[in-house]
Amino acid sequence: FNKVTKRLTTVSLMDNLYADIEGTGAVRLGDVPLYAGMPALADVVERTYGIPVSGYAWTDYKGLIKIIDRLDGIDAEITEDEMKQANEYISEMAAAYGEEEAAHQLRMTGDVHLDGYQAVALARISEDGKDVDYAKTARQRMILSSISEAYEEAGFGEKTSIMREILPYVKHNIPESQIFGNLFAFTG
């Protein structure tokens, strides 16, 4: 986070790229945290791509669902094909997390307000033609931007409340005092 410009820089890398992990060998970039943890992923990004990583924040699907739901969902435009594929992921996640899948199934296309299950399912789609990785990362960036916009719309007190509620779902190497200090900088 740059306190002067009040901008947070994020990087989107395709999870199907491979990285060499000491003691493990070649692993999909998206699987590095599972095999070696987030510090190893930060090291790979710095070493392989020359991108400095000053801090990281990571969550799993369940945490991301909770975060999006805490923000009252996000808006997105979805196609018929995306709706069908997302509904398959919704069924999988609902079963894994003991949720009623019918409550989260997408029923329309176009401009739709998505709950956490629906948004995460949309981000997970990876079977849509020749530009699979590009389309997937584009959807993921759109969803992260929507989360950021929803958070920015909240007032300062609400942002503090949101942050306190979502931090338990996020693994990070940034001191919480710095996170909350940056919150002041974001709200100016």
Side-chain angles (χ1 to χ4, degrees), residues 30-50:
D31 291 335
V32 172
L34 302 173
Y35 285 100
M38 281 303 297
L41 181 58
D43 179 62
V44 165
V45 170
E46 287 183 340
R47 190 171 27 86
T48 307
Y49 302 103

Side-chain angles (χ1 to χ4, degrees), residues 9 11 16 20 22 26 33 37 52 70 74 87 95 101 104 113-114 122 138 145-146 152 161-162 164 166 173 182:
T9 302
V11 175
N16 286 331
D20 188 39
E22 190 174 320
R70 174 56 182 89
I74 62 168
N87 280 337
E101 88 178 63
H104 303 287
H113 189 74
L114 305 175
L122 184 64
S145 292
S146 295
E152 287 176 22
S161 175
I162 290 167
R164 288 189 197 290
I166 68 173
N173 70 340
N182 288 344

